């Protein structure tokens, strides 16, 4: 609501700072530099975590003056054109979810777009990540239901022993990936995006070459370039991945075998999801976590509950505070051997002998061979440094014109949908609109059974920020046990947690653990993105009975939002006045009683 | 957090304590009420109903060690707890300092997680015995009537003993674990735990305190003795599930020989060591813990127990008669039926008046009651039904009232067939015949085994109420007590004396539910209270 108002007001207020020759009329109204908080769809910018990012006002002028729109047609685009003409308006290196999202939006904006892909369209998410893992998790969820006699009995169901066919499960995952990949490819082709096959390398400003190994390279020019090369599984030193018994998520998703006992190194999203899959299929799992507790990225309370539901009752044990310093694949009749050292002292702690080890220690950016040195960019631990608008920053701290980096390669938020959102944000910018993505409005989900989802800050993060900026935070929680739909499904285990500012009703973070949590989070993430406050969203109506009512309940249970009771109105103010007086009297009474009580206590005690 | 603290205080102040200091008590109560009501106004509106709160419990400074009161009763520790609370509420008091010094072993109590909670179930112990706890850490997860909550400790220490295990329930305020301050005290705490564990556990059958610690956790070391791997620090490899099972069944994993791949200990090895049937891969339930100490050595326990009855010299053994054997067999058989009981007071003044009137005509009280029951059964056929196969209702076409009769050295139940259809006088005559036949042991089988409902009356002995065992094959049995003059207050507050008898019906809950029985009893009571219909 707020954003709508501000949007309509700010139009007449803003005046173009610089004249741009060939902007379409609607763009000319918007100043490119000033109204930073004027966001397309009201995405607020006052997000945290951007403090380190500077604005490059002077540079922006330069960028803007070079910018031109292809709104009309390709032939017209040379009108009042900059000195050279480009092969493309936009070239995206990497056809993952980020590149795909950017390409689609670029076409919508009328840009002539090409996408360079050295491997298969779809990137990690579609081929080796989110998508096939969801297929496996769909299987594991059903297996869990069918194996849970107690649960079935409570529903009045009888099922004889459930079993699975490994190849069938693996095929399901593979088929899903290829189906989504085809959909993606077709959508790009249908929209007229050129898919250029080969490894893309940046040659210089606005110039890219691509080509397969052993073939001659093609050089193309583009007005703007987006790097969206993504990431690969990160394998720490000392770990020998053989793809059979010591594997990464890439291999695990093919589900070539289901070991009796698998060690999972890392208890983040990937590790957790795979533990869900493997234990459902009958494996026993040992987690190895370098930090002192499992699930380090999650809100502690959610993590605790999740551990109680997802780890403790399952055939899982764990070692925390240890590194896997050396992992040797199974060979010569020996099992997989994992040497553990203390994460702090580095002293040897233990040795594990397991049937397989899955390395889920996170992902490393895939930026080698990109030719970043040609534009004087130095990666930081492989990540491409960018500013808040995804513009690439070079070694001297200056912006590289016309070069953007989105997704895992910039490491801001390694999530497929974050990459896509960043891509869309970049396209908005190159087509002349200011746009800063609020990363705190990007939800994340872990698809265990039940699911975990979150958006915004965790409680410790919020407390830290509150302390620094000097405001209060409050916490509200609701249980799935109170939700009709959850109880109907006999899945009452779960918690939703809201972290908010009572002074203005701003939602700082929402964390959900429970049935379909991943689908439930969007009400909260949209609220954060649109700046909706608790005092407003709590009046939104939810269908009954649905799981969404968990969030309804959550917002309604947020107490003490000042917007709540100070709303103007005669009846209200009188009521408030009465309340204040009553409270004062009560306080005085209590003070008196305390005195009396203390006196009497003293008498009695001594 | 504070909210719950005050809730805790409230809940922990039963009036019988501190009675001498009732004024103090009142004030404390008032203050806590005040705190409860106004300060935490917001949070208290929904104290912990739907939310999953993490809250702290009180490890009461119950002076287990140096306490002057040797027994650790809840009340003794409570009073010290109150002191502590009170001093915490008035921080200026220096009193506080002296008490924690004494308290080296603290009890962890079942917290009150909601205003309606009376007992809680331990969902899981997050920490296990021997774990070092620091203030604010979650120790145990408790399920209340509303939600599961993590319970945190207020003290640093070592979790010395778990008194109430996972899956068990304990009343609010009962100790569920012991917290020791130092390692030396763990042993002491454990001994305490062993002593106290029998008291608060919710499975009270073992009323007698078991012999000291060893009986509490008898690890089955049968196999342990065999091959202790003494060849240095050989590495023990056990799968995660095996470790879990071992912990659950209290098996020393070092004593188990692994038979899995690479010699690792698997769940099957632990199950074998624990002497339990291999589970079908599902999570073994807690109930199996009870079955643990029955490895190879102990023969089937029930028989062993039966044989262990002490023989007192000079006793004579008289074998059962056929009738007694039949009774015995029937009674044992009755144990397989899930029965329940509903009692009802019935005013009998009108019935007594009627009885006086019809007595000269040969009508007995038994006949009157049988008739009344039969008439009520006619309106509630389900109470006249029975469950023969565990899968279905058998609605009986006729109402046959069996009446329990004691005959020398035995018990038989002659049956008044079609008691609802015969009139009172015929019924009385029939009854007379049946009793005579029974005495002469001439009852035909259909005259004693065709009952659909049984009546047992011990009222003539002055028994005011009793509990009958449901004979197999029937749905319900009614136990009738004596009719006694009772003072009754009516709705206007006037007292009067009315004769009342208590009837108590035992029924098979597979077919007859509480509401059925209650409705039946209501009808029965109406018939007895307006008995004119009995003579019609």
């Amino acid at each position: 609501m707020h954003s709508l108002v501000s949007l309509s007001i700010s139009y007449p207020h803003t005046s173009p700072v610089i004249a741009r020759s060939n902007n379409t009329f609607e763009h000319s109204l918007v100043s490119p530099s000033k109204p930073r908080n004027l966001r397309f769809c009201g995405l607020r910018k006052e997000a945290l975590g951007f403090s380190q990012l500077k604005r490059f006002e002077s540079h922006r002028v330069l960028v803007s003056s070079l910018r031109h729109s292809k709104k009309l047609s390709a032939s017209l685009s040379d009108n009042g054109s900059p000195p050279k003409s480009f092969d493309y308006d936009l070239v995206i290196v990497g056809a993952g979810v980020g590149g795909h999202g950017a390409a689609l939006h670029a076409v919508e904006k009328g840009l002539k777009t090409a996408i360079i892909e050295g491997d298969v369209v779809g990137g990690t998410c579609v081929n080796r990540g989110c998508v096939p893992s969801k297929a496996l998790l769909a299987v594991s969820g059903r297996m869990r239901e069918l194996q849970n006699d107690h649960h079935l009995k409570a529903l009045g169901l009888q099922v004889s022993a459930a079993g699975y066919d490994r190849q069938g499960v693996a095929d399901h995952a593979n088929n899903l990936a290829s189906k989504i990949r085809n959909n993606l490819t077709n959508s790009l082709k249908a929209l007229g995006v050129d898919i250029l096959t080969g490894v893309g390398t940046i040659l210089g400003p606005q110039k890219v070459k691509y080509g397969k190994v052993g073939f001659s390279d093609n050089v193309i020019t583009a007005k703007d370039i987006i790097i969206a090369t993504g990431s690969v599984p990160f394998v720490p030193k000392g770990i020998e991945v053989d793809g059979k018994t010591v594997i990464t998520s890439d291999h695990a998703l093919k589900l070539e075998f289901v070991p009796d006992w698998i060690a999972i190194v890392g208890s983040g999203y990937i590790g957790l999801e795979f533990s869900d899959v493997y234990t459902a299929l009958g494996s026993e799992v040992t987690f190895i976590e370098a930090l002192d507790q499992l699930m380090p990225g999650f809100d502690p309370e959610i993590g605790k509950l999740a551990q109680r539901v997802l780890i403790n009752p399952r055939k899982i044990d764990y070692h925390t505070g240890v590194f896997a310093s050396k992992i040797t694949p199974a060979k010569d009749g020996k099992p997989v051997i994992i040497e553990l050292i203390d994460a702090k002292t580095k002293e040897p702690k233990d040795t594990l002998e397991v049937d397989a080890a899955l390395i889920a220690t996170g992902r490393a950016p895939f930026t080698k061979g990109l030719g970043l040195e040609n534009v004087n960019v130095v990666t930081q631990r492989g990540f491409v440094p960018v500013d808040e608008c995804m513009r690439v920053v070079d070694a001297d701290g200056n912006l590289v014109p016309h070069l953007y980096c989105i997704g895992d390669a910039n490491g801001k938020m390694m999530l497929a949908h974050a990459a896509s959102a960043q891509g869309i944000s970049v396209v908005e910018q190159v087509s002349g609109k200011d746009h800063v993505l609020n990363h705190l409005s990007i939800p994340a989900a872990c698809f265990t059974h039940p699911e975990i989802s979150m958006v915004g800050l965790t409680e410790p993060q919020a407390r830290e920020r509150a302390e620094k900026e000097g405001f209060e935070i409050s916490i509200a929680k609701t249980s799935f046990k109170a939700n009709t739909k959850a109880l109907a499904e006999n899945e009452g285990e779960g918690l939703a947690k809201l972290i908010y500012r009572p002074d203005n009703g701003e939602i700082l973070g929402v964390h959900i653990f429970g049935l379909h949590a991943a689908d439930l989070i969007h009400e909260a993430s949209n609220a954060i993105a649109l700046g909706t406050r608790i005092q407003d969203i709590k009046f939104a109506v939810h269908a009954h009975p649905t799981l969404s009512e968990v969030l309804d309940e959550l917002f309604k249970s947020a107490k003490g939002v000042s917007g709540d009771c100070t709303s103007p109105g005669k009846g209200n103010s009188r009521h408030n006045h009465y309340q204040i007086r009553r409270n004062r009297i009560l306080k005085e009474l209590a003070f008196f009683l305390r005195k009396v009580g203390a006196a009497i206590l003293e008498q009695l005690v001594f | 957090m504070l909210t719950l603290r005050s809730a805790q205080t409230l809940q922990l102040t039963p009036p019988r304590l501190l009675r001498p200091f009732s004024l103090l008590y009142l004030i404390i109560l008032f203050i806590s009420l005040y705190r409860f009501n106004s300060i935490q106004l917001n949070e208290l509106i929904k104290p912990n109903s739907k939310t999953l709160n993490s809250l702290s419990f009180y490890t009461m400074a119950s002076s287990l060690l140096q306490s002057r009161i040797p027994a650790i009763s809840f009340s003794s520790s409570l009073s010290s707890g109150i002191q502590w609370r009170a001093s915490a509420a008035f921080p200026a008091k220096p009193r506080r300092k002296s008490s924690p010094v004494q308290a080296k072993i603290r009890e962890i109590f079942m917290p009150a997680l909601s205003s309606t909670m009376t007992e809680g179930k331990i969902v899981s112990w997050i920490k296990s015995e021997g774990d070092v706890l620091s203030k604010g850490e979650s120790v145990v997860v408790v399920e209340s009537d509303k939600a599961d909550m993590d319970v945190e400790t207020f003290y640093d220490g070592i979790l010395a003993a778990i008194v109430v295990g996972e899956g068990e329930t304990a009343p609010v305020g009962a100790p569920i674990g012991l917290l020791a301050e130092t390692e030396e005290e763990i042993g002491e705490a454990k001994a305490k735990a062993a002593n106290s564990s029998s008291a608060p556990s919710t499975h009270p059958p073992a009323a007698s305190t078991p012999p000291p610690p060893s009986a509490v956790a008898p690890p089955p070391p049968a196999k342990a003795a065999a091959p202790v791997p003494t060849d240095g620090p050989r590495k023990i490899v056990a799968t995660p599930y095996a470790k879990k099972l071992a912990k659950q069944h209290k098996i020393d994993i070092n004593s188990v020989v692994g038979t899995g791949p690479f010699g690792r200990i698997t769940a099957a090895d632990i199950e074998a060591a624990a002497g339990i049937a291999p589970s079908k891969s599902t999570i073994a339930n807690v109930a199996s813990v009870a079955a643990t100490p029955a490895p190879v050595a102990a023969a089937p326990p029930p028989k062993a127990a039966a044989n262990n009855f002490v023989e007192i010299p000079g006793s004579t053994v008289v074998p059962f008669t056929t009738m007694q054997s039949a009774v015995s067999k029937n009674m044992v058989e009755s144990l397989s039926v899930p029965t329940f009981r509903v009692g009802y007071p019935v005013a009998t003044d009108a019935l007594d008046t009627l009885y006086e009137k019809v007595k000269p005509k040969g009508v007995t009280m038994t006949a009157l009651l049988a008739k009344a029951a039969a008439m009520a059964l006619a309106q509630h056929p389900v109470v006249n039904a029975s469950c023969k196969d565990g899968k279905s209702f058998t609605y009986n076409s006729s109402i046959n009232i069996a009446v329990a009769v004691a005959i020398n050295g035995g018990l038989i139940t002659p049956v008044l067939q079609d008691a609802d259809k015969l009139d009172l006088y015929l019924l009385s005559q029939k009854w007379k015949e049946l009793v005579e036949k029974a005495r002469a042991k001439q009852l035909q089988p259909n005259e004693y085994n065709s009952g659909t409902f049984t009546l047992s009356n011990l009222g003539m002995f002055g028994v005011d109420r009793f509990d009958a065992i449901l004979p197999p094959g029937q749905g319900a049995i009614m136990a009738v007590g004596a009719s006694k003059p009772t003072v009754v207050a009516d709705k206007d507050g006037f007292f009067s004396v009315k004769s009342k008898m208590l009837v108590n019906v035992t029924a098979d809950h597979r077919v007859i539910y509480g509401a059925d029985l209650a409705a039946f009893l209501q009808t029965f009571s109406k018939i007895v209270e307006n008995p004119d219909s009995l003579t019609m």
Side-chain angles (χ1 to χ4, degrees):
Chain A
M1 238 191 294
H2 293 278
S3 54
L4 275 183
V5 172
S6 70
L7 197 68
S8 57
I9 294 172
S10 19
Y11 269 109
H13 278 288
T14 54
S15 54
V17 176
I18 26 144
R20 280 177 287 174
S21 56
N22 54 353
N23 262 335
T24 47
F25 67 98
E26 74 255 38
H27 293 153
S28 63
L29 278 174
V30 186
S31 150
S33 56
K34 257 300 272 315
R36 277 303 181 102
N37 48 0
L38 169 69
R39 293 290 154 247
F40 184 68
C41 35
L43 291 175
R44 284 169 314 109
K45 185 228 128 195
E46 62 260 29
L48 8 94
F50 294 120
S51 44
Q52 80 279 13
L53 298 160
K54 299 152 245 159
R55 291 203 191 151
F56 299 86
E57 293 293 345
S58 57
H59 208 90
R60 271 201 73 78
V61 177
L62 177 70
V63 172
S64 314
S65 64
L66 284 171
R67 220 173 248 166
H68 64 284
S69 164
K70 300 279 168 148
K71 190 86 186 166
L72 305 176
S73 74
S75 59
L76 278 178
S77 69
D78 289 345
N79 260 358
S81 60
K84 17 177 196 170
S85 71
F86 297 106
D87 298 329
Y88 292 99
D89 293 329
L90 181 66
V91 164
I92 301 161
V93 185
V97 168
H100 177 257
L104 253 52
H105 196 64
V107 170
E108 196 186 312
K109 288 283 165 191
L111 305 181
K112 190 184 180 206
T113 308
I115 198 160
I116 300 173
E117 177 57 59
D119 190 14
V120 281
V121 172
T124 296
C125 171
V126 173
N127 299 296
R128 298 171 301 271
C130 341
V131 171
S133 71
K134 292 305 98 51
L136 297 183
L137 283 158
V139 172
S140 83
R142 280 178 176 75
M143 276 303 280
R144 275 187 199 290
E145 278 174 30
L146 296 174
Q147 285 169 338
N148 192 342
D149 292 339
H150 175 69
H151 189 212
L152 290 171
K153 215 174 264 171
L155 293 170
L157 289 174
Q158 285 176 349
V159 175
S160 54
Y164 68 93
D165 163 29
R166 185 200 54 77
Q167 194 54 51
V169 178
D171 289 348
H172 172 52
N174 194 32
N175 292 343
L176 179 71
S178 56
K179 188 171 186 175
I180 304 289
R181 181 168 60 235
N182 289 341
N183 288 351
L184 238 59
T185 314
N186 292 340
S187 70
L188 288 173
K189 281 184 182 154
L191 287 169
V193 175
D194 289 346
I195 301 177
L196 313 172
T197 311
V199 178
T201 307
I202 291 161
L203 293 179
Q206 298 173 299
K207 197 182 278 179
V208 187
K209 74 165 185 188
Y210 71 95
K212 284 181 177 166
V213 181
F215 290 87
S216 59
D217 288 343
N218 304 299
V219 176
I220 50 170
T221 56
K223 196 173 75 59
D224 292 291
I225 297 166
I226 297 179
I227 298 168
T229 44
S231 61
V232 291
F234 169 67
V235 178
K237 269 198 315 205
I239 295 176
E240 185 188 336
V241 172
D242 71 344
K244 300 227 157 46
T245 55
V246 179
I247 56 178
T248 65
S249 57
D250 289 1
H251 311 102
L253 287 165
K254 294 190 186 127
L255 201 73
E256 275 166 356
F257 94 121
V258 178
D260 289 341
W261 183 5
I262 184 165
I264 298 181
V265 186
S267 66
Y269 295 71
I270 303 171
L272 263 186
E273 290 191 355
F274 275 108
S275 81
D276 196 280
V277 170
Y278 278 117
T279 51
L281 299 182
S283 304
E284 295 180 34
V285 169
T286 295
F287 269 120
I288 296 164
E289 172 59 55
L291 294 172
D292 284 338
Q293 61 182 51
L294 291 177
M295 295 176 253
F298 297 90
D299 183 84
E301 200 166 350
I302 297 286
K304 231 187 306 186
L305 181 65
Q307 180 169 344
R308 215 171 77 215
V309 176
L310 301 176
I311 309 270
N312 295 350
R314 299 186 179 170
K315 295 174 182 176
I316 301 176
D317 69 351
Y318 49 85
H319 299 261
T320 52
V322 290
F323 281 127
S325 60
K326 187 161 188 271
I327 300 184
T328 320
K331 55 189 164 197
D332 310 330
K334 277 192 197 152
V336 175
I337 294 170
I338 303 176
E339 284 171 26
L340 299 180
I341 58 166
D342 192 289
K344 291 191 191 90
T345 62
K346 311 286 178 208
E347 277 165 19
K349 266 216 125 153
D350 210 343
T351 311
L352 301 179
E353 294 173 15
V354 293
D355 297 323
L358 168 66
I359 314 305
T361 43
R363 300 185 62 86
F366 181 62
T367 51
K368 273 205 182 125
L370 249 177
L372 288 168
E373 62 283 354
N374 299 335
V375 282
N376 189 28
V377 170
V378 177
T379 59
Q380 293 163 359
R381 289 180 300 123
F383 293 109
V384 178
V386 292
D387 74 347
E388 60 179 346
C389 297
M390 311 303 143
R391 291 172 291 188
V392 175
V393 179
D394 71 13
D396 307 324
N398 299 319
L399 289 181
V400 179
H402 308 294
L403 187 61
Y404 300 82
C405 177
I406 62 168
D408 288 3
N410 72 29
K412 271 183 181 292
M413 202 175 203
M414 296 175 83
L415 293 167
H417 49 274
S420 181
Q422 289 169 357
I424 290 168
S425 176
V426 168
V427 172
E428 282 292 308
Q429 290 172 58
V430 301
S431 53
K433 286 196 184 170
D434 270 314
H435 191 279
V436 177
L437 182 65
N438 178 4
H439 282 80
L440 284 177
S441 73
I442 298 180
C446 184
F447 294 83
T448 45
H449 296 91
E451 295 169 345
I452 311 171
S453 64
M454 71 205 73
V455 64
L457 304 175
T458 63
E459 189 179 335
Q461 286 169 345
R463 291 210 182 279
E464 195 187 323
R465 185 182 161 203
E467 186 137 324
K468 209 159 43 181
E469 298 179 19
F471 59 83
E472 293 281 307
I473 63 162
S474 291
I475 311 285
K477 284 177 255 181
T478 54
S479 166
F480 277 61
K481 275 204 170 99
N483 181 275
T484 312
K485 188 74 188 304
L487 291 178
E489 302 279 346
N490 224 333
E491 305 267 8
E493 194 81 65
L495 169 75
K497 176 175 176 179
L498 166 70
I499 302 155
Y500 64 101
R501 281 180 71 156
D503 56 345
N504 61 9
E506 184 188 347
I507 300 168
L508 299 173
V510 172
H511 304 264
I512 310 175
F513 173 75
L515 186 62
H516 295 307
D519 293 312
L520 293 178
I521 196 68
H522 298 100
E523 184 170 8
S525 61
N526 288 353
I528 292 179
L530 302 176
T532 315
R533 307 278 158 143
I534 291 168
Q535 56 267 40
D536 298 323
I537 201 169
K538 69 193 276 191
F539 292 112
V541 181
H542 296 68
H544 175 76
T546 56
L547 290 171
S548 315
E549 287 173 297
V550 169
L551 283 189
D552 187 26
E553 195 72 35
L554 186 65
F555 294 131
K556 287 193 164 82
S557 68
K559 299 289 179 222
V561 176
S562 55
D564 255 358
C565 40
T566 54
S567 64
K570 286 171 210 157
N572 254 350
S573 66
R574 196 179 306 147
H575 182 65
N576 283 344
H577 183 61
Y578 168 72
Q579 268 194 340
I580 291 163
R581 264 181 57 182
R582 198 189 61 175
N583 284 347
R584 195 178 302 146
I585 291 170
L586 271 173
K587 249 176 222 168
E588 275 163 21
L589 186 64
F591 179 69
F592 168 69
L593 279 170
R594 257 185 224 184
K595 283 260 175 187
V596 173
I600 291 174
L601 255 185
E602 217 157 358
Q603 296 273 316
L604 283 171
V605 169
F606 300 106
Chain B
M1 211 59 92
L2 259 174
T3 312
L4 291 154
R5 250 186 237 181
S6 41
Q8 185 87 349
T9 318
L10 263 187
Q11 171 271 321
L12 282 176
T13 47
R16 66 196 165 83
L17 296 162
L18 299 172
R19 196 173 288 142
F21 309 119
S22 49
L23 178 63
L24 169 66
Y25 167 63
L26 268 176
I27 286 172
I28 293 178
L29 179 66
F30 195 91
I31 290 172
S32 43
L33 259 177
Y34 169 74
R35 289 159 57 84
F36 196 84
N37 280 330
S38 63
I39 294 180
Q40 271 84 35
L41 209 62
N42 290 332
E43 284 130 283
L44 264 167
I45 289 168
K46 36 140 206 106
N48 18 47
S49 51
K50 286 167 191 166
T51 51
L52 243 157
N53 282 335
S54 143
L55 68 146
S56 300
F57 60 77
Y58 286 92
T59 48
M60 289 295 172
S62 86
S63 30
L64 281 180
L65 269 183
Q66 284 104 334
S67 170
R68 268 142 273 151
I69 313 138
I72 16 140
S73 70
F74 176 44
S75 52
S76 73
S77 48
L78 180 64
S79 49
S80 60
I82 295 247
Q83 261 173 13
W84 184 82
R85 279 302 316 151
S87 50
F90 305 97
K93 289 285 135 259
R95 167 93 182 132
R96 195 193 180 298
K97 275 175 198 144
S98 59
S99 69
V101 179
Q102 288 189 330
K104 292 200 172 165
I105 298 172
R106 296 192 166 94
E107 290 184 8
I108 299 169
F109 288 89
M110 173 62 73
L113 303 180
S114 74
S115 49
T116 55
M117 175 176 170
T118 55
E119 58 169 32
K121 184 177 164 195
I122 309 286
V123 177
S124 62
W125 281 92
I126 298 165
K127 303 288 173 178
S128 37
E129 290 185 6
D131 283 2
V132 178
L133 310 177
S134 55
K135 208 169 132 184
E137 253 185 309
S138 292
V139 179
V140 58
V141 181
V142 172
E143 181 184 272
S144 75
D145 47 351
K146 302 221 171 73
D148 291 357
M149 299 189 200
D150 283 12
V151 177
E152 296 166 3
T153 172
F154 260 12
Y155 295 94
D156 294 340
I158 299 163
L159 183 59
I162 288 171
V163 180
V164 180
E166 287 182 9
E168 290 180 47
T169 49
V172 165
I176 54 177
L178 294 177
L179 194 66
E181 253 177 28
T182 62
E183 276 183 35
E184 296 86 69
E185 286 151 7
I186 293 179
E188 237 163 323
K190 279 207 168 131
K192 285 285 177 198
N195 284 336
S196 62
S197 63
S198 63
S201 77
T202 43
H203 315 296
S208 60
T209 316
S214 65
V216 178
K223 280 199 169 179
V228 181
T230 40
D231 46 1
R234 200 190 74 85
K235 192 169 157 46
I236 302 226
V237 180
T239 70
Y241 188 43
K243 282 186 211 156
K244 261 185 193 159
L245 274 180
K247 202 170 164 190
Q248 208 170 51
H249 295 298
K250 299 210 168 91
I251 288 187
D252 180 9
I253 206 140
N254 298 310
S255 67
V256 179
V257 181
T259 61
F262 314 108
R264 73 170 69 127
I265 298 164
T266 62
D269 296 330
I270 300 291
E271 276 163 346
I276 54 172
S279 65
K280 351 153 218 75
S281 84
T282 40
I283 300 139
N285 58 3
V286 194
S288 56
V289 177
T292 310
V296 213
K303 258 189 193 162
N307 293 340
N308 281 348
F309 286 141
V310 182
E311 242 184 80
I312 292 153
S315 53
T316 47
V317 177
V318 181
F320 284 158
T321 61
T322 322
M323 189 194 280
Q324 284 161 341
S325 316
V327 171
S328 169
K329 183 174 148 279
N330 264 350
M331 290 304 97
V332 171
E333 217 174 285
S334 74
L335 290 176
S336 64
V337 178
T339 56
F340 74 117
R341 291 148 191 89
V342 177
Y344 206 95
V346 183
T348 56
D349 295 286
L351 186 72
D352 292 341
T353 319
L354 179 72
Y355 181 49
E356 290 307 319
K357 261 194 258 173
V358 295
K359 205 174 172 183
K361 294 176 186 166
V363 174
T364 61
M365 188 48 104
T366 302
L368 276 171
L369 290 171
K371 179 72 183 166
M375 286 172 73
L377 284 172
Q379 292 183 41
H380 299 276
V382 72
V383 184
N384 197 45
S386 59
C387 181
K388 302 242 148 100
D389 53 2
K391 289 179 203 153
S392 59
F393 293 79
T394 305
Y395 287 99
N396 296 301
S397 54
S398 48
I399 295 173
N400 300 338
I401 307 285
V403 184
V405 176
I407 53 173
N408 44 350
L411 167 71
I412 198 150
T413 53
V415 175
L416 287 164
Q417 290 177 348
D418 294 313
D420 60 331
K421 299 200 178 86
L422 296 179
D423 74 37
L424 197 56
Y425 307 100
L426 270 173
L427 209 58
S428 301
Q429 208 181 334
K430 188 96 187 275
W431 178 241
K432 222 171 264 171
E433 287 169 27
L434 283 170
V435 172
E436 272 166 24
K437 272 191 180 174
R439 295 238 161 88
K441 299 196 175 170
Q442 283 171 352
L443 283 177
Q444 297 301 307
N446 74 322
E447 286 174 320
Y448 61 78
N449 64 13
S450 59
T452 58
F453 181 88
T454 302
L455 194 64
S456 180
N457 184 1
L458 292 179
M460 56 287 231
F461 298 110
V463 169
D464 70 342
R465 83 199 78 173
F466 69 105
D467 188 349
I469 293 179
L470 178 67
Q474 290 185 23
I477 178 170
M478 180 186 276
V480 182
S483 175
K484 288 198 306 185
T486 312
V487 179
V488 187
D490 70 8
K491 62 173 188 280
D492 295 314
F494 291 105
F495 292 102
S496 59
V497 175
K498 292 224 163 86
S499 285
K500 290 233 168 188
M501 69 176 183
L502 284 167
V503 298
N504 190 8
V505 179
T506 305
D508 181 348
H509 207 299
R510 289 174 300 175
V511 287
I512 302 164
Y513 302 167
D516 299 331
L517 214 48
F520 162 75
L521 279 164
Q522 199 179 18
T523 310
F524 175 76
S525 139
K526 280 206 183 108
I527 292 169
V528 171
E529 283 164 15
N530 305 290
D532 291 341
S533 58
L534 292 176
T535 56
M536 283 188 278

